[in-house]
Amino acid sequence: MFLNHGSFGACPRPVFETYQRWQLELERQPVAFLGRDLSERMRQPRIALSAFLGTGPDNIVGLVNATEGLNIVAQSLDLQPGDEILTTDHEYSALEKTWAYVARRTGAKIVTVKVPLPLVSEAEFTATLLAGMTERTKVLFLSHITSPTALVFPIEPAIAEARKRGIWSVIDGAHTPGHIPLDFDAMGVDFYSGNCHKWLMTPKGSAFLFVRPELQGMINPLVISHGWTADSKQPGAKGAFGNSPFIDELEMQGTRDPAAWLTVPAALDFRRDHGWDGVAADCRALAQETAARLRALTGLSALSSPEFCAPQMVAMPVPHIEDPVDFQKRLNERYGIEIPVFNWQDHSIVRVSVQGYNSKPQMDLLIEALTDMLALGQQPAKARQHG
Ligand SMILES: Cc1ncc(COP(=O)(O)O)c(C=O)c1O
């Protein structure tokens, strides 16, 4: 059974069929598809998705994944030696590497603040970040939903404060589209990249980058291709396909398969047609109930109060696991359970994702498996408690 939608989730059949139709059309008529029609086709998902994200269609571009979107931003920012990139100790490893690469190339410095756990207060979270801001801070980089800890960071006040101080906010929203409501214009964020291939349930290889209109001129593509024009940085310049340079330079890059991006409208229709807000509410209830059962089982406290827990993804501390890779493999072999198990800081963590295809009996089996494999039935819970 599959309890790891957070890493790579399933795509609903009608959305996947739409994906395959796009791919068939591309292979049947590649010249028309990639040569004549692509720019217009890329626009339709932008129109549908931007409305869902609370912004205009000219403020997002379709990409392959959030790592790409965040790399575009990180490598576009004009950073100087000594500039500071403020971030937290909950960030995703690939993006930690991105910023380390940027810091090495520019001489900027990464300042990592430790977010106090359990996360129970927006004010405390914001104060922790503000305490890390200095005259040299140029970038605030935060996950909106964190990967190792599955927390929803209350990012809005820190973004507002960053804006006041002239600090660029760069948000990693890999887990947010289709998982929590988003309204970029209200949020006032500068740069935000998110995946459609997680909780919006498109096929893999579908993501977007949002950039506030005033900052789009700062963005440079990682790959120079057909969309680029020599005068793209001139005021009022158009891109090679008649959109803004931001859109044309990022979307029109060499020969590639855009089918996953083109399924975004179908994924949004699927949510609407199946009352997905209701499905998600049921998933959230099941996730919270499972978390409570795991807490009762292990005697270990949660990493946050419920309001900061990702609705459909819960990272639960469990008693220390020496070899989490082996533990995860054995859970799969013995019980057929696919779930992430890892050590993060001084916690061993099991991260449970709950999507529309998961069920209460699956959670029962998870509890049974963990009870067995962590030998939790055998000693009183109190003896295992910590902080
Ligand atoms: C917080 C976070 N950021 C970024 C990513 C990277 O996503 P992708 O591989 O789709 O770029 C992930 C992947 O799980 C993630 O959890």
Side-chain angles (χ1 to χ4, degrees):
M1 72 198 197
F2 192 76
L3 302 183
N4 189 10
H5 192 93
S7 289
F8 306 104
C11 171
R13 191 181 297 273
V15 181
F16 194 73
E17 285 168 356
T18 304
Y19 175 61
Q20 291 180 311
R21 274 199 299 277
W22 281 121
Q23 290 185 315
L24 271 177
E25 197 171 330
L26 190 162
E27 293 302 332
R28 283 195 181 118
Q29 291 286 350
V31 174
F33 198 107
L34 295 172
R36 291 191 282 276
D37 303 336
L38 185 58
S39 177
E40 175 59 21
R41 288 203 164 126
M42 295 290 282
R43 203 159 73 85
Q44 300 308 324
R46 258 194 280 119
I47 291 170
L49 185 61
S50 59
F52 185 71
L53 300 175
T55 190
D58 294 339
N59 300 335
I60 63 170
V61 290
L63 301 171
V64 172
N65 56 54
T67 307
E68 181 189 11
L70 294 164
N71 262 269
I72 290 167
V73 176
Q75 297 191 50
S76 291
L77 298 178
D78 183 17
L79 295 172
Q80 303 298 323
D83 286 349
E84 291 176 2
I85 299 157
L86 180 65
T87 188
T88 80
D89 57 340
H90 293 236
E91 303 307 325
Y92 186 66
S93 55
L95 277 311
E96 287 177 337
K97 289 187 178 185
T98 301
W99 290 109
Y101 170 84
V102 166
R104 179 175 285 201
R105 290 191 60 170
T106 60
K109 190 175 136 201
I110 296 169
V111 176
T112 305
V113 295
K114 197 169 172 55
V115 174
L117 291 179
L119 176 59
V120 292
S121 144
E122 176 179 291
E124 188 183 16
F125 176 80
T126 309
T128 304
L129 290 170
L130 295 201
M133 289 181 187
T134 72
E135 292 289 296
R136 306 302 310 259
T137 309
K138 285 284 169 359
V139 178
L140 173 66
F141 174 66
L142 300 173
S143 288
H144 199 172
I145 293 181
T146 62
S147 172
T149 44
L151 301 176
V152 183
F153 275 168
I155 57 175
E156 288 82 356
I159 289 174
E161 187 58 33
R163 181 108 169 236
K164 262 194 236 154
R165 298 181 189 208
I167 297 170
W168 293 307
S169 54
V170 183
I171 305 300
D172 175 352
H175 286 275
T176 61
H179 194 175
I180 58 174
L182 294 168
D183 186 341
F184 292 151
D185 290 350
M187 195 188 278
V189 63
D190 292 328
F191 308 96
Y192 193 114
S193 189
N195 283 326
C196 305
H197 55 223
K198 289 187 190 281
W199 299 94
L200 208 56
M201 299 184 292
T202 67
K204 314 300 168 278
S206 177
F208 67 87
L209 170 65
F210 163 88
V211 178
R212 194 155 65 75
E214 299 83 339
L215 302 181
Q216 288 173 6
M218 288 171 45
I219 291 294
N220 296 312
L222 295 174
V223 174
I224 304 303
S225 183
H226 300 298
W228 186 81
T229 54
D231 66 352
S232 66
K233 299 295 179 205
Q234 301 302 319
K238 282 273 176 220
F241 293 82
N243 299 298
S244 65
F246 167 65
I247 290 172
D248 283 347
E249 289 181 354
L250 297 181
E251 283 193 349
M252 303 303 280
Q253 297 197 349
T255 304
R256 53 183 192 160
D257 178 357
W261 169 250
L262 299 179
T263 66
V264 165
L268 292 168
D269 288 350
F270 179 85
R271 289 175 65 85
R272 192 201 50 225
D273 296 348
H274 292 82
W276 210 255
D277 288 346
V279 175
D282 292 345
C283 291
R284 179 182 198 165
L286 186 54
Q288 285 300 314
E289 181 195 303
T290 307
R293 291 171 74 189
L294 279 168
R295 274 200 304 280
L297 186 67
T298 63
L300 298 175
S301 40
L303 297 174
S304 74
S305 51
E307 66 191 297
F308 301 113
C309 181
Q312 293 177 240
M313 192 165 75
V314 191
M316 289 306 301
V318 294
H320 181 69
I321 296 172
E322 195 56 39
D323 184 347
V325 174
D326 177 65
F327 189 92
Q328 183 171 353
K329 190 163 156 266
R330 284 188 293 124
L331 253 180
N332 197 324
E333 285 166 0
R334 224 187 267 178
Y335 290 92
I337 299 175
E338 184 68 71
I339 194 166
V341 181
F342 50 89
N343 286 331
W344 177 82
Q345 298 191 355
D346 55 353
H347 301 276
S348 290
I349 289 178
V350 172
R351 195 185 72 181
V352 188
S353 291
V354 183
Q355 186 51 298
Y357 51 80
N358 295 123
S359 65
K360 173 86 164 40
Q362 292 182 336
M363 300 303 143
D364 294 343
L365 182 61
L366 174 68
I367 300 284
E368 184 190 323
L370 291 176
T371 306
D372 169 28
M373 288 183 51
L374 294 165
L376 284 170
Q378 295 161 22
Q379 38 180 314
K382 271 210 155 69
R384 296 185 302 276
Q385 232 160 20
H386 74 68

